[in-house]
Amino acid sequence: MQDFPNRIFECSQRYCREMPSLIKTYGFVDHLVNFLFPLRHEKMTLQEINEDWKHLQEEFGELLRPLIPFLEHEPDFYIQGFFSAIPQIHCTLLKEAEAFTQFDPAANCTEEVILCYPGFYAIVVYRLANQLYRMKIPVLPRSISECAHSRTGIDINPGATIGTPFFIDHGTGIVIGETTEIGNDVKIYQGVTLGALYVEKDLRHTKRHPTIEDRVIIYAGSTILGGNTVVGHDTTIGGNVWLTESVAPHSVVYRKAEIVIKDSIQKKNGL
């Protein structure tokens, strides 16, 4: 037992590349999401908002600092690029929050969606992480995505391409792979997997995950696999479907199952 701290020290030397702190990364995500949606935290004066905006950029710069050896440009390039993109991301997210209130009969108002809906929170974090992914910043996009994954059970790889509006209902257990392409006005329910047919390292730079076109609905528990699999627009995928081939537009795909319900008399008589 006395030697264990020594072993930890040796491991720290073996895996010596410095990385952004996960604790600081999660703190930055919380700070930024609360800034974008003040009702999640508390209202601020205009002066406080301006100061907070500057502070967020400083925090982001600190997260980038350990990654400098792996970056193609100076940190200021990424700070400027990321924060310049946030106003448009914010506009998209507000429209998506409003879409949630239209799609979900249980949603009473947009404020409730912003405060309480794990699916919306996962989309917020995805759109921020995806921006960093497209800027080719290593490690950090995935770390940010894991913040939403750990809190909601929704695993969206930051490399996925997702149109708008995007609606996730309930959401627990959803998995969306890195090369997934999702069109506009798509609705996905809990337990859906958009994954690869199989996993091998040499497939890293190939399209491994499906394409979901516009206005598709995928109900709970369905699994859609493969980079060549395309679900055509305006299609409905029923619950618990296993799909590894393309589907034409305007299709309805469902799993045929027999469900038998017996009343107490039938059960007693062995029927």
Side-chain angles (χ1 to χ4, degrees), residues 23-24 29 55 57 70 85 87 97 109-110 121 169-170 195 199 211 216 221 225 234 239 248 256 260 268 270:
I23 293 174
K24 290 182 179 179
V29 172
H55 185 48
Q57 294 176 60
F70 314 106
C109 60
T110 303
Y121 176 78
D169 199 7
H170 302 295
V199 179
T211 296
V216 169
L225 305 178
D234 299 285
K256 189 174 182 180
V260 178
K268 182 178 180 181

Side-chain angles (χ1 to χ4, degrees), residues 26-233:
Y26 283 22
F28 172 74
V29 172
D30 287 339
H31 189 179
L32 181 52
V33 173
N34 290 337
F35 175 86
L36 294 175
F37 304 103
L39 64 91
R40 290 177 56 92
H41 187 228
E42 60 185 17
K43 291 186 177 180
M44 296 183 291
T45 66
L46 180 57
Q47 180 179 348
E48 289 172 331
I49 289 174
N50 279 306
E51 291 174 356
D52 212 29
W53 182 241
K54 293 177 182 177
H55 185 48
L56 279 164
Q57 294 176 60
E58 293 170 359
E59 281 186 36
F60 184 62
E62 282 298 306
L63 292 178
L64 290 177
R65 185 183 58 78
L67 298 172
I68 288 176
F70 314 106
L71 299 176
E72 295 180 5
H73 307 281
E74 293 298 315
D76 284 348
F77 172 86
Y78 299 99
I79 295 170
Q80 169 116 19
F82 180 55
F83 282 86
S84 294
I86 285 178
Q88 181 57 52
I89 294 173
H90 182 243
C91 183
T92 297
L93 291 171
L94 288 175
K95 291 178 180 177
E96 287 183 309
E98 293 170 1
F100 267 68
T101 65
Q102 298 171 12
F103 298 149
D104 186 359
N108 296 303
C109 60
T110 303
E111 289 83 358
E112 182 180 22
V113 171
I114 292 171
L115 283 173
C116 307
Y117 274 53
F120 178 71
Y121 176 78
I123 292 169
V124 171
V125 176
Y126 156 76
R127 298 221 179 274
L128 297 171
N130 176 253
Q131 177 63 34
L132 299 180
Y133 180 94
R134 289 188 287 113
M135 296 172 68
K136 299 183 179 179
I137 296 176
V139 181
L140 195 55
R142 193 61 184 266
S143 298
I144 287 175
S145 294
E146 283 305 306
C147 182
H149 184 196
S150 64
R151 293 176 177 178
T152 66
I154 300 168
D155 184 3
I156 306 177
N157 190 289
T161 301
I162 302 177
T164 184
F166 182 47
F167 173 73
I168 293 175
D169 199 7
H170 302 295
T172 306
I174 284 177
V175 177
I176 299 176
E178 180 184 30
T179 61
T180 302
E181 296 179 26
I182 298 176
N184 300 319
D185 200 17
V186 170
K187 304 177 183 68
I188 294 182
Y189 290 77
Q190 68 272 17
V192 166
T193 296
L194 304 178
L197 276 170
Y198 58 96
V199 179
E200 289 185 3
K201 195 65 177 179
D202 60 2
L203 297 176
R204 177 177 176 81
H205 299 294
T206 63
K207 190 178 187 316
R208 309 180 301 281
H209 307 97
T211 296
I212 311 298
E213 294 185 346
D214 296 346
R215 297 178 299 281
V216 169
I217 302 174
I218 308 174
Y219 282 105
S222 287
T223 297
I224 304 174
L225 305 178
N228 294 323
T229 302
V230 178
V231 177
H233 60 81

